[in-house]
Amino acid sequence: MLGLTPSTTRRRVGIGDVARIEAVTALYRSVDYEIGGGALYTDIGRFAEAASILLASADSNHATTSLAMAVADARQLAGWTAFDAGHHSDAGRHWLAAERTAVTSGNQRLAARIRYCQARQFQHLHHNQDALATIRLAKDALGRDATPALLAMLRGAEAASLAALGEHSTAVASLKQAAGHFDDINPDREPDWMRFYDRGELLAQHGRVYRDLARHDRRHADAAVTWTQDAITAFGPQNIRSTVLNTVGLCSALALADDPDRALTVGTTVIRHGRELTSRRIQDRIRNISRDISPDIRHSGLADFRHTVTRVA
């Protein structure tokens, strides 16, 4: 399949083609959860682009819509692994292709998932106004196609950007809405690709919002610790990267809560696990721990740790 070109692919597409694309995408996704996108983004990018060529060259038949959804899903994953690996231009390119395919096929639910990914990248790059605009576009476009899981996911992401922008009361209100939507989820009525959004994801957004609140008012720090610990507990053993990302958040929360000994213990674990995963995003998050540790910290171990994280490559 990786050798496909537009001049060699015009043929009738069958259900078997769709099933093969879905199976390969699912395999790549499971590996991405375990070891990070850095080990995969080149291969999954080539695979997703080849699938796109197949879609562009396929004769129109009853399987074409299913193929379009499989291709959009593959391009979404290609974008996510590129984002995780720190290749932001490639991530944006894959997500634009995925969004275009989903919208053209009339699948606003999948388009919302892709726009959520775009918003997460904007947040990582500190473009929170752009993230909010993208999230709100996703919500508005969903209309009657909205499901509780999609709304919970989007409201949680919205809360994170609002908190980062200093709109704290609105952020907490969005979190409450996210939790309410989450309680209404019926897995049998959600798209299969929304199964990633579990309680761990919801709790992680709570932890992220309360860490931002604690940076302005340390009275929120204990809540940030609790939410983040609960998120780590909720993530399954197969989702190693999310566990590590939230362990990074826990280190920050403990520093904000003025618990330097535990922050140092967790931070030491973070450094070790961060080296085991091929995720540039984790490295970026580890460096960001330094903003939550005062340069004037008198705890010698934590002071040395702060110096260490600023030099993480």
Side-chain angles (χ1 to χ4, degrees), residues 127-192:
H127 301 315
N128 282 287
Q129 290 288 4
D130 291 327
L132 276 178
T134 304
I135 292 163
R136 288 167 180 170
L137 169 64
K139 286 193 301 180
D140 291 344
L142 272 171
R144 294 182 178 180
D145 289 332
T147 69
L150 283 165
L151 291 173
M153 176 185 73
L154 293 171
R155 285 294 187 186
E158 179 182 60
S161 282
L162 288 167
L165 291 167
E167 299 182 34
H168 299 149
S169 60
T170 312
V172 171
S174 289
L175 275 184
K176 290 180 179 178
Q177 289 178 305
H181 290 308
F182 188 87
D183 289 340
D184 292 336
I185 292 175
N186 179 342
D188 293 335
R189 297 182 180 179
E190 298 288 342
D192 286 343

Side-chain angles (χ1 to χ4, degrees), residues 1-287:
M1 185 171 177
L2 295 179
L4 293 177
T5 67
S7 62
T8 63
T9 59
R10 185 163 296 281
R11 64 183 185 82
R12 193 168 184 81
V13 175
I15 296 300
D17 297 296
V18 176
R20 281 188 285 273
I21 292 172
E22 291 174 340
V24 173
T25 301
L27 178 61
Y28 274 127
R29 197 181 300 280
S30 66
V31 177
D32 172 55
Y33 285 149
E34 293 182 13
I35 65 174
L40 297 173
Y41 84 93
T42 298
D43 289 341
I44 182 61
R46 292 176 61 213
F47 165 72
E49 288 168 2
S52 294
I53 292 173
L54 184 62
L55 175 63
S57 303
D59 292 331
S60 178
N61 62 55
H62 69 282
T64 303
T65 299
S66 296
L67 176 63
M69 294 305 95
V71 169
D73 195 33
R75 293 300 291 257
Q76 179 272 324
L77 179 60
W80 190 260
T81 56
F83 163 49
D84 194 50
H87 296 271
H88 296 293
S89 178
D90 282 340
R93 177 173 60 85
H94 286 300
W95 285 332
L96 282 173
E99 181 186 28
R100 182 170 59 248
T101 300
V103 170
T104 300
S105 301
N107 192 326
Q108 288 296 341
R109 291 178 175 179
L110 185 55
R113 166 78 191 280
I114 295 159
R115 287 164 178 157
Y116 165 79
C117 294
Q118 293 170 325
R120 290 288 300 273
Q121 183 185 42
F122 288 140
Q123 290 172 339
H124 185 80
L125 297 174
H126 308 292
H127 301 315
N128 282 287
Q129 290 288 4
D130 291 327
L132 276 178
T134 304
I135 292 163
R136 288 167 180 170
L137 169 64
K139 286 193 301 180
D140 291 344
L142 272 171
R144 294 182 178 180
D145 289 332
T147 69
L150 283 165
L151 291 173
M153 176 185 73
L154 293 171
R155 285 294 187 186
E158 179 182 60
S161 282
L162 288 167
L165 291 167
E167 299 182 34
H168 299 149
S169 60
T170 312
V172 171
S174 289
L175 275 184
K176 290 180 179 178
Q177 289 178 305
H181 290 308
F182 188 87
D183 289 340
D184 292 336
I185 292 175
N186 179 342
D188 293 335
R189 297 182 180 179
E190 298 288 342
D192 286 343
W193 38 259
M194 276 304 297
R195 295 188 184 277
F196 88 96
Y197 190 78
D198 56 14
R199 185 165 294 278
E201 295 286 347
L202 176 70
L203 296 173
Q205 292 289 34
H206 280 68
R208 182 171 183 173
V209 168
Y210 275 88
R211 286 194 298 276
D212 264 318
L213 267 59
R215 292 179 183 115
H216 294 269
D217 184 346
R218 293 296 180 98
R219 289 176 295 181
H220 294 291
D222 287 342
V225 170
T226 299
W227 285 117
T228 310
Q229 286 178 324
D230 289 348
I232 292 169
T233 301
F235 282 118
Q238 76 283 356
N239 203 336
I240 297 172
R241 182 181 52 208
S242 290
T243 298
V244 174
L245 282 167
N246 281 275
T247 305
V248 175
L250 179 59
C251 181
S252 282
L254 289 166
L256 291 165
D258 196 23
D259 192 344
D261 291 330
R262 286 183 66 201
L264 181 59
T265 299
V266 172
T268 301
T269 301
V270 159
I271 294 291
R272 183 175 71 254
H273 287 313
R275 290 169 179 159
E276 296 169 356
L277 290 168
T278 58
S279 172
R280 180 72 183 186
R281 188 159 50 113
I282 289 177
Q283 307 306 319
D284 292 344
R285 294 274 189 93
I286 290 174
R287 283 196 302 275

